[in-house]
Amino acid sequence: MAATYNENQIQILEGLQAVRKRPGMYIGSTSSKGLHHLVYEIVDNAVDEALAGACDTIIVSIHPDNTISVLDNGRGIPVGIHPQKGISTVEVVFTILHAGGKFGGGGYKVSGGLHGVGASVVNALSEWLVVEVYTEGKIYQERFSRGEVIQPLTVIGSTDKTGTFVHFKPDEEIFEEVIFDFKMLEQRLKETAFLTKALKIQLIDLRENEEKKKVFHYEGGIKEFVGHLNKHKTPIYDEVFYCEGEKDGISVEVAFQHNDAYVENIFSFVNNINTTEGGTHLSGFKTAVTKTLNDYARKMGLLKDADKNLSGEDIREGMTAIVSIKIGEPQFEGQTKTKLGNSEAAGAVQSVFGDQLTYFLEQNPNVGKIVVQKGIMAARARDAARKARDLTRRKSALEGNALPGKLADCSEKDASKCEIYIVEGDSAGGSAKSARSPKTQAILPLRGKILNVEKVRIDKMLENQEIRNMITAFGAGISDDFDISKLRYGKIILMTDADVDGAHIRTLLLTFLYRYFRELIEQDHVYIAQPPLYLVEKNKKKYYVFDDKELEKVLEEIGRTGISRMQRYKGLGEMNPEQLWETTMDPESRVLVKVSIDDAAAADEIFTKLMGDDVEPRRQFINEHAHRVTYLDI
Ligand code: TTJ
């Protein structure tokens, strides 16, 4: 039975009021990240229309006043009265929580929103929002302010087009700062376009004098995505494998290509949502790769009867892959709700992908051969690494002291309270050792440049002393015997000089952590210390300044005359222990930047560009991002 209009009205207002009271519960945070989330929520609605086959173009505009509009050429949100709610469906979509897409009936509707919270949340958090629907020759318009209807759905003109247009201004009472980042939107929209074959997404920035515009349109979908991810790497065969199919109502798409690197790079998606914790679809993919390639290797005589099967890890060495499925009712599990739980997805991927991979290998025997040969090399390296590791373990058991000699450990027994500072160079290490609070802070100095792990296999990597010191100090093992519950520190803090060399060392360290200890980053264990670049002293007052822009500001504020000291720190070693403690290590006053990976595909591109052989993309990238504290801090 339909509730009365008044009852509904009250419920709706209470619902949206709850969103305004606790925005974090609905969009994660009210920082820049949450702000950009609003755009994705709206865009995802239009993408759903594209997935239904009813729209092929989406235009996202950033207006000069930092408002956003999204236009699609779909069928338009239905303007008729919603049978249960007694108001137009348009109004339902923008005022009732969790109403995203469950109307219209017939066929399954996949919802792409990250939290699936939908347009009503965006509406609640907008100072104003205007929606227009173009359908049946008419333009319908409704206006809202902070979730409340200002102007009910009204016909305001005529048109021969169809589609939906949404324009909104994020509420400055809610968000810390309302400024949109073109690059951030670009990254996400590009990824969405890759995942939705043949959908054209335009991003237009109208804020500058000169209009900036990018178009993302990939006829090849995820096949092109894999090509893009391997662009700055060296593929070891020309073809990119691609397949699509459907089983038990689950649609499956897979693409992959191997490159000459030693790590795998697999991204999985469910209904366009990046499943960073993996799940059943990813397991199905891995099972099929391992089985199909081992079968192939035996059939072709590449593995002899006496040989052991290749492990999945070996076959996936250097593999760049995208696994993307669409499923009616996804069950998301895991810490960040990005792990697919539906058991039927494993079988669907295994069957659709396995069959087509077998066929592909028959058609492209060279690819199979190259992959198997790389797998055999990987297996040998892994064997050697395992032996080396066992040897180290036995040796340290004999010596009775497993920890590296250079490590100045802390005394606290509760690992979650402990921190390890990874410091560049012995002299900075010395300062840090005198400065630290020995109960909870451990110091591990590293000598000079550290190994670029992109360039070597795991066995060679484990021969490197600095790498070994870090692994032993962390205490959680690596690859097959990695166990995060054994981690000896709650925070791993990278502390390098505030100069170009320091940035390079930091990048090498992050590359190592990203490629071999991604879980540590994903679970918020990795941080970057922020040592100051300048010390300014005036009237016996000290000002620590972290970059050139801030220096200008400080000098402006305190006045340029009467400054008794102005020191530029060339390295951490130049600071005395007391200064180092005050500015960089004291938990009360320091600034730590948490390393986070929102977008693994983007992070991979960054690492490839920074650590790869191509000089030009690296130079360009560093120029573009020089202003950022850390390029991972998205
Ligand atoms: C629903 O089923 C009947 C036909 O129209 C379907 C629909 O709602 N399509 C639709 C919604 N197209 N575009 C949207 C949409 C676009 C934006 C930019 C924002 C929102 C909230 C919805």
Side-chain angles (χ1 to χ4, degrees):
M1 205 178 65
T4 69
Y5 178 78
N6 275 331
E7 273 172 47
N8 269 337
Q9 238 2 54
I10 290 166
Q11 275 179 11
I12 288 168
L13 286 177
E14 280 174 352
L16 296 188
Q17 221 37 56
V19 176
R20 290 180 61 81
K21 224 182 230 155
R22 289 182 193 209
M25 296 237 319
Y26 299 85
I27 54 164
S29 74
T30 53
S31 65
S32 168
K33 201 165 150 180
L35 177 75
H36 287 76
H37 219 98
L38 301 183
V39 185
Y40 312 148
E41 284 295 342
I42 295 297
V43 170
D44 286 346
N45 281 281
V47 172
D48 282 352
E49 185 73 347
L51 289 173
C55 129
D56 65 9
T57 305
I58 299 172
I59 301 171
V60 179
S61 309
I62 314 170
H63 297 265
D65 54 353
N66 271 292
T67 61
I68 295 281
S69 68
V70 181
L71 170 68
D72 75 32
N73 63 349
R75 294 163 293 183
I77 306 173
V79 292
I81 298 297
H82 190 278
Q84 278 97 49
K85 305 284 178 187
I87 50 176
S88 73
T89 301
V90 173
E91 198 168 309
V92 170
V93 168
F94 283 94
T95 57
I96 299 184
L97 285 175
H98 300 293
K102 288 278 182 256
F103 47 84
Y108 74 69
K109 176 90 171 77
V110 298
S111 179
L114 179 63
H115 297 109
V117 290
S120 58
V121 168
V122 178
N123 193 22
L125 302 177
S126 292
E127 185 187 318
W128 53 256
L129 182 146
V130 181
V131 50
E132 290 180 4
V133 174
Y134 313 120
T135 184
E136 290 164 4
K138 298 194 187 75
I139 301 175
Y140 292 81
Q141 188 193 65
E142 178 151 3
R143 294 172 170 273
F144 305 86
S145 174
R146 302 191 163 105
E148 288 184 53
V149 177
I150 293 295
Q151 173 207 295
L153 194 64
T154 313
V155 175
I156 59 155
S158 52
T159 179
D160 55 2
K161 297 192 173 55
T162 69
T164 304
F165 171 82
V166 174
H167 190 178
F168 65 96
K169 180 173 171 41
D171 196 342
E172 282 170 347
E173 288 176 8
I174 303 276
F175 293 95
E176 288 160 24
E177 189 177 52
V178 181
I179 298 176
F180 286 98
D181 181 323
F182 187 87
K183 282 216 165 293
M184 219 157 137
L185 293 175
E186 172 182 3
Q187 187 60 48
R188 166 70 184 243
L189 295 177
K190 189 168 159 184
E191 200 162 296
T192 304
F194 272 129
L195 288 166
T196 319
K197 217 179 347 188
L199 169 63
K200 191 159 132 191
I201 303 182
Q202 288 184 39
L203 174 61
I204 304 171
D205 191 345
L206 302 160
R207 288 174 299 186
E208 311 279 322
N209 291 334
E210 211 170 314
E211 178 179 313
K212 194 154 62 168
K213 180 171 154 183
K214 290 245 168 115
V215 182
F216 313 110
H217 182 207
Y218 308 103
E219 288 289 349
I222 61 167
K223 185 175 184 180
E224 273 187 65
F225 199 170
V226 166
H228 173 80
L229 288 166
N230 269 347
K231 197 167 95 187
H232 299 292
K233 309 193 189 207
T234 313
I236 54 174
Y237 46 85
D238 293 335
E239 302 81 353
V240 176
F241 170 88
Y242 171 78
C243 77
E244 62 181 322
E246 207 187 294
K247 181 138 201 272
D248 303 333
I250 302 171
S251 86
V252 175
E253 274 186 279
V254 174
F256 74 78
Q257 185 188 41
H258 285 75
N259 59 63
D260 70 350
Y262 305 117
V263 286
E264 64 180 63
N265 216 355
I266 303 172
F267 304 108
S268 64
F269 297 86
V270 173
N271 301 348
N272 282 7
I273 299 165
N274 192 183
T275 37
T276 48
E277 296 175 282
T280 48
H281 57 324
L282 184 61
S283 307
F285 166 76
K286 288 181 175 176
T287 308
V289 177
T290 312
K291 180 172 185 324
T292 310
L293 272 143
N294 272 300
D295 287 353
Y296 175 83
R298 299 249 171 238
K299 199 175 118 199
M300 303 300 284
L302 300 166
L303 282 180
K304 300 280 176 276
D305 289 344
D307 293 337
K308 268 196 297 186
N309 261 3
L310 294 169
S311 75
E313 253 182 295
D314 295 333
I315 296 170
R316 296 193 307 272
E317 188 191 85
M319 177 189 250
T320 297
I322 305 280
V323 179
S324 172
I325 73 161
K326 304 272 168 29
I327 184 166
E329 283 178 24
Q331 293 151 18
F332 290 110
E333 304 168 348
Q335 281 210 329
T336 53
K337 292 271 172 281
T338 55
K339 181 175 184 181
L340 186 69
N342 304 57
S343 58
E344 67 276 20
V349 175
Q350 238 181 92
S351 136
V352 169
F353 166 60
D355 289 353
Q356 298 197 52
L357 178 58
T358 305
Y359 178 74
F360 173 85
L361 293 174
E362 277 164 17
Q363 301 295 306
N364 301 275
N366 68 311
V367 173
K369 211 171 137 192
I370 291 169
V371 173
V372 170
Q373 276 164 352
K374 186 166 169 66
I376 291 172
M377 301 288 280
R380 276 187 206 141
R382 214 176 296 282
D383 249 8
R386 206 169 288 134
K387 280 188 190 123
R389 228 164 42 208
D390 291 348
L391 208 66
T392 341
R393 247 189 244 125
R394 234 171 299 141
K395 209 165 75 185
S396 53
L398 278 176
E399 287 162 0
N401 177 18
L403 293 172
K406 281 173 158 280
L407 174 74
D409 208 9
C410 52
S411 57
E412 170 64 50
K413 289 283 167 278
D414 179 354
S416 69
K417 292 186 185 137
C418 297
E419 307 175 342
I420 182 169
Y421 277 83
I422 314 274
V423 188
E424 137 195 28
D426 287 332
S427 89
S431 293
K433 278 180 195 174
S434 329
R436 71 178 177 144
S437 158
K439 184 162 166 50
T440 56
Q441 297 183 322
I443 310 293
L444 179 66
L446 298 178
R447 195 175 305 123
K449 294 263 143 134
I450 91 148
L451 182 74
N452 180 357
V453 301
E454 301 269 283
K455 298 278 174 231
V456 295
R457 274 205 170 95
I458 186 163
D459 54 333
K460 284 274 168 295
M461 182 181 94
L462 291 175
E463 283 172 13
N464 181 282
Q465 193 57 51
E466 314 301 311
I467 297 267
R468 287 234 294 260
N469 284 350
M470 282 189 278
I471 299 171
T472 328
F474 298 167
I478 187 169
S479 50
D480 5 13
D481 67 5
F482 177 75
D483 177 0
I484 198 159
S485 71
K486 298 213 173 95
L487 187 64
R488 300 181 59 251
Y489 307 96
K491 288 194 173 75
I492 295 169
I493 303 170
L494 310 182
M495 186 162 73
T496 56
D497 288 345
D499 61 6
V500 176
D501 273 356
H504 189 217
I505 292 167
R506 186 175 64 218
T507 308
L508 288 161
L509 288 169
L510 282 169
T511 308
F512 165 63
L513 294 171
Y514 175 70
R515 295 297 187 202
Y516 288 93
F517 291 97
R518 194 179 300 184
E519 214 175 315
L520 295 184
I521 299 180
E522 280 166 358
Q523 299 200 17
D524 295 342
H525 290 295
V526 182
Y527 295 79
I528 293 171
Q530 302 288 302
L533 199 55
Y534 299 99
L535 167 63
V536 181
E537 210 173 301
K538 182 175 166 173
N539 300 336
K540 300 229 161 77
K541 256 185 98 172
K542 283 184 192 154
Y543 302 85
Y544 292 106
V545 181
F546 292 83
D547 60 39
D548 289 306
K549 220 167 103 189
E550 201 189 335
L551 181 66
E552 269 310 301
K553 234 171 77 188
V554 168
L555 291 178
E556 206 68 14
E557 268 168 34
I558 62 172
R560 286 168 202 268
T561 51
I563 288 172
S564 52
R565 182 145 79 130
M566 181 151 143
Q567 186 181 354
R568 188 181 202 281
Y569 294 118
K570 286 202 206 68
L572 293 164
E574 272 186 23
M575 263 181 269
N576 63 41
E578 189 192 316
Q579 289 172 325
L580 188 59
W581 168 255
E582 260 173 45
T583 59
T584 319
M585 294 179 71
D586 179 1
E588 297 290 314
S589 54
R590 71 185 177 194
V591 181
L592 290 184
V593 176
K594 186 166 75 196
V595 177
S596 68
I597 305 170
D598 275 345
D599 186 328
D604 174 70
E605 188 176 342
I606 289 165
F607 282 117
T608 307
K609 281 184 181 175
L610 281 169
M611 307 319 313
D613 295 319
D614 290 1
V615 175
E616 185 49 27
R618 173 163 54 224
R619 198 191 59 76
Q620 206 178 326
F621 184 87
I622 291 172
N623 278 345
E624 275 175 30
H625 295 258
H627 63 285
R628 295 229 179 157
V629 191
T630 149
Y631 45 82
L632 274 175
D633 176 46
I634 303 180

